[in-house]
Structures are given as structure tokens and as C-alpha cells.
Amino acid sequence: MRVPIIGGNWKMNKTINEAINTVEDLKTKLEGVEGVEIVIFPPFTALKMLQGLLQGSNIGLGAQNMYYEEKGAYTGEISPLMLQDVGCRYVILGHSERRGYFGETDELINKKLKTALSFEFTPVVCVGEKLEERKAGRATEIVEAQVRKCLQGIGPEEVKRVVIAYEPVWAIGTGETATPSQAGEMHRFIRKILKELYGEELANFIRIQYGGSVKPENIKGLMKEEDIDGALVGGASLNTESFAKIVKGSRRL
Ligand code: PGA
């Protein structure tokens, strides 16, 4: 019922030329692939160029971040209007690197989410605990607070479009993945919170991606978990071969 969604988060990588080469190769490798929603999140500078290249393909375009105001004196920020202008339909909000290095809070992410939804983006809202929080047995508590605060004031019609990415911070870029059962358990827990907030039907509709050192070797195991609806891929999305393998491996057969 839920179509898996695989996102390639390129982070602060690739010049425009590198981005063009990557996308041309990716289009060939993923041509005709169905049963999975595919999105890439290139750096801002490459978006305009890629908009044209991706037209008519099965790969969607997204941004890695967005401010919650439409325009104004916010030096260095990027607005929803600007992202719409370059053909973005998806946006990542509250990635752990934004939270960790740039001080983003759940309150800020909630504001961004409201704007993103009003502009009809598909927002990918990231949550996840740090290593010390998991070690202290506080992982579910932390994730629950993030989910509730980020979704504060979001109505049932809007929440349908939200994708949640569970990304344990200790698994991002470390090569250490949560095991399918560790991830599956947290995804079930997140869905339980969604049930409390929005009821059974909506909770079963919302997609929850896993993120953190996803590779071609571990995607199939992760996708066997019923509550894992795809992946947000960092490092392995920079290489077209591994990203294409992850996309293909994520289809529920
Ligand atoms: P990673 O990053 O796949 O390199 O661990 C995932 C992410 O940060 O979204």
C-alpha cells in the first residue's frame, strides 16, 4: 500500500558539472524503474540546471533545506518560492546536521514544515537520537518529543504529504547502520505516535524512511521490516551505481 521512497541526499557535494554527469548516468540506470518514488536532493547551485534534465524522468527534485519565510531580509537563506521556481517538489527539513551544526530546533523545523506544506512540497522531516541518548535508554523518548514537536499544529489533510525520516545520529556517515530490527522497532514506535495523533488510517498512510549508512548490501534487509518505507541515503547516493542498486533493492516484491 505505501509506495517506498528513496531519497539521495547529496549534502555539500558536487559542482554543477558533476551534478549533470551524475544525473545523466542515473537517468539511464533508473529508466523504467517502477514501484518506488525516487528523489534526489542536490546542492542549491545545481537545482536549476537539473530541473530541465529531470523533466519527464522518474526522478524527483528536492532541496536539502528551506527557510520558513517567503522573502525578505534573511541573508543566506533560501525561500520556498525560490525552490518552487527551480522545480523542487520535495524538501528535507531538520536533518541532524542542520540540528547539530546549525542549531535547528524542533520549533524552527515546525515553522518550516508549515510553510513547506502551504507551498505543497513533500517535506521529509528528520528525527533521530544521538549515541549517548540511545546508550542512556532515552532513544524513544527523544524521538517521540521530536515527532510531536515537529508535527505540532499540522492537520490531518496536510500530514498525509509528510515523510518522516528516522535517522539515528550515530548511524549517519559512520558506516554503522541500525540493524533492521532496531530500525523496525523505532519505526513501529513512530507509527504508534502517529496513530495517537491522527488515528489508525492516516498513520498507516504516512511513510517513514530510514536513514544512516544505507548501502546496497543492507537495503533489502531493512525493507523487510513492514514499517520501513524506504531510505534517505547520504554517502551511497553520490555514486550512481550504488544509488541505483539501493533504489532497485527497495521495491517491495
Ligand atoms: P549516510 O547519510 O547515508 O551517509 O549515513 C544519511 C543522511 O544523512 O541522510
Side-chain angles (χ1 to χ4, degrees):
M1 30 152 201
R2 292 185 297 267
V3 177
I5 173 164
I6 298 290
N9 174 12
W10 293 3
K11 307 192 179 182
M12 200 174 72
N13 292 289
K14 296 190 191 283
T15 60
I16 295 177
N17 273 334
E18 287 166 345
I20 293 171
N21 289 337
T22 304
V23 162
E24 275 174 347
D25 194 23
L26 212 50
K27 279 200 325 187
T28 315
K29 287 193 164 71
L30 293 175
E31 203 185 333
V33 173
E34 291 176 351
V36 49
E37 195 170 322
I38 312 163
V39 193
I40 54 168
F41 298 91
F44 294 131
T45 47
L47 291 174
K48 177 70 190 154
M49 197 64 210
L50 298 185
Q51 174 184 22
L53 267 185
L54 289 172
Q55 218 125 56
S57 79
N58 55 352
I59 306 170
L61 189 61
Q64 298 171 20
N65 183 24
M66 184 199 83
Y67 197 55
Y68 62 82
E69 294 287 356
E70 238 177 81
K71 60 179 176 180
Y74 303 101
T75 302
E77 292 296 313
I78 189 107
S79 97
L81 272 179
M82 295 164 186
L83 294 180
Q84 239 174 17
D85 203 28
V86 292
C88 281
R89 290 199 301 110
Y90 301 79
V91 63
I92 297 176
L93 300 175
H95 188 277
S96 69
E97 286 147 19
R98 299 294 321 167
R99 290 172 182 265
Y101 301 140
F102 304 103
E104 291 203 7
T105 61
D106 292 319
E107 289 69 25
L108 177 68
I109 297 158
N110 176 253
K111 283 187 181 163
K112 293 183 175 196
L113 178 57
K114 286 178 176 152
T115 301
L117 288 166
S118 76
F119 277 82
E120 305 204 333
F121 287 104
T122 295
V124 177
V125 178
C126 303
V127 296
E129 82 286 0
K130 298 188 190 116
L131 183 60
E132 58 272 24
E133 294 164 339
R134 175 160 283 261
K135 281 189 175 156
R138 298 181 58 217
T140 50
E141 175 199 330
I142 298 290
V143 170
E144 172 161 11
Q146 290 173 334
V147 171
R148 287 185 185 273
K149 286 186 192 161
C150 288
L151 293 179
Q152 184 103 52
I154 307 297
E157 263 317 302
E158 298 167 312
V159 82
K160 281 186 186 168
R161 227 170 327 115
V162 175
V163 174
I164 293 179
Y166 168 59
E167 302 202 295
V169 179
W170 48 272
I172 296 179
T174 57
E176 193 174 333
T177 334
T179 62
S181 73
Q182 270 175 328
E185 196 182 324
M186 188 63 91
H187 283 229
R188 266 191 301 287
F189 176 72
I190 294 172
R191 208 174 297 286
K192 192 180 111 222
I193 302 165
L194 295 175
K195 275 182 195 153
E196 286 171 24
L197 291 171
Y198 298 103
E200 178 108 20
E201 201 178 324
L202 270 182
N204 286 332
F205 186 89
I206 298 168
R207 290 176 296 179
I208 309 173
Q209 293 180 300
Y210 168 78
S213 299
V214 173
K215 309 181 256 280
E217 296 75 32
N218 57 28
I219 186 67
K220 286 193 177 148
L222 288 161
M223 291 305 296
K224 283 201 183 114
E225 292 289 324
E226 201 183 308
D227 285 297
I228 299 185
D229 307 310
L232 188 55
V233 187
S237 74
L238 297 174
N239 176 286
T240 55
E241 198 158 326
S242 58
F243 189 63
K245 279 188 184 154
I246 292 170
V247 168
K248 290 176 185 166
S250 74
R251 289 171 298 174
R252 295 199 203 275
L253 301 169

